[in-house]
Amino acid sequence: MVRVRFAPSPTGYPHLGNIRTALFNWAFARHNNGVFILRIEDTDVARLVEGAADVILDSLRWLGLDWDEGPYFQSQRLELYHKAVDQLLKQELAYRCYCSPQRLESMRQEQMKRKQPPGYDRHCRNLTREQKAEMEASGIIPVVRFMSPLEGQTFFNDLLRGQIIFENSTLDDFVILKSDGYPTYHLANIVDDHEMAISHVLRADEWLSSAPRHVLLYQAMGWQPPLFAHLPMILGTDRSKLGKRHGATAINEYQEQGYLPEAMFNFLVLLGWALDDKTEILTRDEIVKHFSLERISKTAAVFNKDKLDWMNGVYLRGLGLEEFVQRAMPFLGRDLPVEISRPLDTGYISQFMPLVQERARTLAEVPQLSDFFFVEELEYDADLLLGKIDKAEAVKGLQASIARVDGLQDWTATSLETVFRPLAEELGLKTGVFFGLLRVAVTGRTAAPPLFQTMEVLGRERCIKRLKSAIDKLER
RNA sequence: GGCGCAUUCGUCUAGGGGUUUAGGACACCGCCCUCUCAAGGCGGAGAUCACGGGUUCGAAUCCCGUAUGCGCUACCA
């Protein structure tokens, strides 16, 4: 039975890398009809970020990474860890350490200065009974350290990278229980993974170095360790570990920026995993069907926003009109100028959304792509009207247009086109130039959806008003 | 500094000894379509597969070194 877990710590908002790890775990579980467990590793009271756990849960829900068990909170399972610590203490596989943070700090400084590998000097490892009693009496609250073997090797088989071997002499006596009574990651992690019968630990590469500690702890507890696979990391553009200085990294920011969860899902799975030599767009079902550890790459991946944008556009265009409108609505409400009265008219919006849908790469672009459909007064620089023609020609063209269109029988894209094409010729203007003039007059910009379709949606009244206002602008 | 992992176009990747003149995608450039933009179609440029040694009839693919990058080296996860 495959049982995997995603075990984030609520010390910050989940970034792309965290979520990609969650995604791989989820996909692995679903592919194997296994169980996906969510566990919040909130053992660092000092760095805990208010609300982070909720953001983590929301982000997972947003991407549809549903969990079968949990969320468990380690802060509510302290007895479990204390029990393990007691066992290790009793077996003399761990010991209390009374060293002050100051002593540890100066020890490290000294080691650095001498270019020695930093690590706990095992000062408290061999305290005499009397010394221990003395320390206890002094009122110092100790930490508990694991008694690492001084020689030999610790090894395990990483599912992705093969046999990994560490010299025990390079390991120090790491802390397993802090003085505030909370366990460290290392201890809590192995206790819970054992307790929850985790079969595979799929976690980021950054944990590889501490894996031998975990193996040692499993051995000390007399437990069978799970299988390990250390996943490649996701790096920033500068190839370093993802962090705040890389701009938007928290997954919820992408939601706010108008990325579709299904696009994000697809994009993220391809950061470190590939189906074959050409498939880029995969449905969630296809991913579940084909996902396998063997096809996970071993090298860290740089996050490429351009490709995400492209992929999001693909998904956006694949949406049905109604679906697209529904998804775009919150963004229109949020970003359209405040003067535009709400609630927005869905019927009207649905008329031009097909035009916008083809052009948007994110939902957040929808408002700026379509604001001229809403706004009463267009604001633009009159010079835009004068692309390749002079003022007189422009005014003449606009006046002729108004005259021609004022009494037009039916106001549709096709009928408008049959009016304006000949008019361009009459005016001696290339269609590109003439239509460009009209486009600016009607939309206030040089790049917009097809002119006549736009005019049809805008309606006669509004179009004529805008043509007139363009003349005003020129003559002002 | 020590330990560990990694190294194929700018980026994401395919490749698991001969089928490779190293394939695809994003981005980039050009052409087509076209009222602009976008989308789409076609084409192009872009990787001496980090480097150096082996093994082999034959290596991007296996082995060993070197270099570089990243990670860890906390009473953080």
Side-chain angles (χ1 to χ4, degrees):
Chain A
M1 179 57 150
V2 165
R3 289 176 61 85
V4 293
R5 77 325 190 257
F6 175 52
S9 92
T11 50
Y13 290 179
H15 61 60
L16 259 22
N18 301 136
I19 294 297
R20 206 281 317 265
T21 296
L23 172 45
F24 278 14
N25 273 282
W26 179 90
F28 185 67
R30 292 292 169 263
H31 177 82
N32 293 293
N33 289 314
V35 176
F36 179 55
I37 298 163
L38 179 58
R39 185 171 79 219
I40 305 295
E41 308 218 324
D42 53 349
T43 55
D44 187 344
V45 184
R47 292 198 314 151
L48 185 108
V49 170
E50 191 74 27
D54 287 332
V55 176
I56 292 169
L57 302 195
D58 286 344
S59 298
L60 293 174
R61 290 193 194 100
W62 181 59
L63 281 170
L65 302 178
D66 54 320
W67 54 92
D68 308 301
E69 284 182 27
Y72 296 105
F73 289 83
Q74 290 187 324
S75 59
Q76 293 169 12
R77 302 162 61 82
L78 297 183
E79 333 77 70
L80 243 35
Y81 317 124
H82 291 162
K83 216 176 98 192
V85 169
D86 289 344
Q87 183 188 325
L88 292 174
L89 241 21
K90 193 172 300 169
Q91 293 175 155
E92 297 193 343
L93 292 168
Y95 60 93
R96 294 193 173 85
C97 167
Y98 303 88
C99 293
S100 69
Q102 297 78 270
R103 193 189 96 78
L104 295 175
E105 185 50 38
S106 63
M107 174 198 73
R108 255 191 299 274
Q109 295 292 336
E110 187 65 19
Q111 287 165 334
M112 299 284 250
K113 217 167 69 188
R114 291 199 208 144
K115 302 231 183 244
Q116 284 175 344
Y120 182 57
D121 60 5
R122 301 189 159 102
H123 180 261
C124 295
R125 180 160 167 153
N126 297 307
L127 255 30
T128 62
R129 190 175 299 270
E130 293 71 35
Q131 286 171 311
K132 284 183 196 170
E134 191 182 321
M135 298 311 270
E136 285 296 331
S138 75
I140 295 173
I141 300 170
V143 300
V144 177
R145 289 182 183 272
F146 181 70
M147 206 177 278
S148 293
L150 303 177
E151 48 193 34
Q153 296 178 323
T154 298
F155 48 88
F156 67 97
N157 186 53
D158 187 276
L159 262 20
L160 256 46
R161 298 160 206 280
Q163 189 87 320
I164 312 281
I165 304 171
F166 291 84
E167 290 295 332
N168 290 338
S169 59
T170 64
L171 270 25
D172 71 348
D173 291 352
F174 56 95
V175 173
I176 56 177
L177 187 70
K178 299 182 263 185
S179 57
D180 64 2
Y182 281 84
T184 59
Y185 170 87
H186 307 298
L187 202 248
N189 192 258
I190 69 113
V191 168
D192 278 340
D193 282 346
H194 175 261
E195 202 65 36
M196 297 174 187
I198 299 301
S199 61
H200 298 69
V201 170
L202 315 184
R203 86 232 293 188
D205 206 10
E206 57 190 321
W207 293 108
L208 191 55
S209 301
S210 38
R213 297 171 169 185
H214 307 145
V215 172
L216 252 14
L217 278 171
Y218 280 110
Q219 288 170 0
M221 292 301 295
W223 294 337
Q224 176 73 28
L227 267 16
F228 292 102
H230 289 90
L231 308 172
M233 309 227 300
I234 295 179
L235 274 22
T237 326
D238 61 355
R239 296 208 137 270
S240 74
K241 200 172 160 179
L242 226 42
K244 329 95 222 136
R245 65 205 158 80
H246 290 106
T249 52
I251 197 84
N252 53 307
E253 292 178 50
Y254 289 90
Q255 180 178 7
E256 287 159 20
Q257 285 173 21
Y259 291 93
L260 259 22
E262 52 270 50
M264 203 71 212
F265 188 99
N266 191 156
F267 176 76
L268 246 23
V269 83
L270 290 185
L271 238 39
W273 179 86
L275 172 61
D276 56 27
D277 59 342
K278 42 183 63 96
T279 310
E280 302 284 342
I281 305 294
L282 296 107
T283 64
R284 164 181 299 255
D285 286 347
E286 286 168 329
I287 289 166
V288 167
K289 183 175 171 197
H290 299 291
F291 189 83
S292 75
L293 261 28
E294 294 74 55
R295 297 201 62 82
I296 295 179
S297 75
K298 287 187 281 212
T299 62
V302 172
F303 162 63
N304 179 197
K305 186 166 174 296
D306 278 338
K307 188 161 180 175
L308 205 215
D309 285 343
W310 164 76
M311 191 172 280
N312 202 57
V314 171
Y315 275 88
L316 240 26
R317 276 173 256 125
L319 256 27
L321 174 61
E322 222 172 295
E323 177 81 12
F324 180 76
V325 173
Q326 194 199 320
R327 303 247 208 157
M329 229 39 190
F331 290 84
L332 286 165
R334 187 187 75 182
D335 294 343
L336 241 25
V338 283
E339 311 86 80
I340 296 160
S341 67
R342 323 288 155 101
L344 273 7
D345 179 351
T346 334
Y348 174 59
I349 289 172
S350 299
Q351 287 177 48
F352 59 81
M353 272 309 189
L355 306 178
V356 176
Q357 184 172 7
E358 255 183 89
R359 290 164 176 77
R361 285 178 312 169
T362 67
L363 290 170
E365 286 176 356
V366 172
Q368 57 193 41
L369 245 27
S370 57
D371 58 3
F372 58 87
F373 282 111
F374 298 96
V375 162
E376 269 316 309
E377 288 291 318
L378 252 28
E379 277 179 43
Y380 59 93
D381 188 342
D383 286 346
L384 284 184
L385 293 161
L386 275 18
K388 292 188 178 80
I389 48 177
D390 61 34
K391 196 166 129 182
E393 279 180 302
V395 172
K396 190 181 157 199
L398 290 166
Q399 281 170 340
S401 299
I402 293 167
R404 208 55 78 84
V405 115
D406 205 10
L408 188 65
Q409 285 277 317
D410 68 333
W411 190 269
T412 63
T414 19
S415 64
L416 284 163
E417 185 157 9
T418 54
V419 167
F420 283 115
R421 279 204 186 274
L423 182 55
E425 202 171 335
E426 281 176 44
L427 292 165
L429 296 171
K430 284 188 178 165
T431 52
V433 175
F434 181 48
F435 294 174
L437 168 68
L438 294 175
R439 171 172 300 105
V440 173
V442 162
T443 68
R445 52 183 74 176
T446 55
L451 181 60
F452 306 117
Q453 294 178 52
T454 303
M455 290 179 74
E456 176 179 329
V457 175
L458 246 17
R460 182 195 315 264
E461 203 182 322
R462 197 129 53 158
C463 284
I464 292 177
K465 192 176 155 205
R466 287 182 182 187
L467 292 171
K468 283 179 178 162
S469 135
I471 297 171
D472 288 348
K473 269 182 186 289
L474 284 169
E475 290 180 336
R476 198 176 300 156

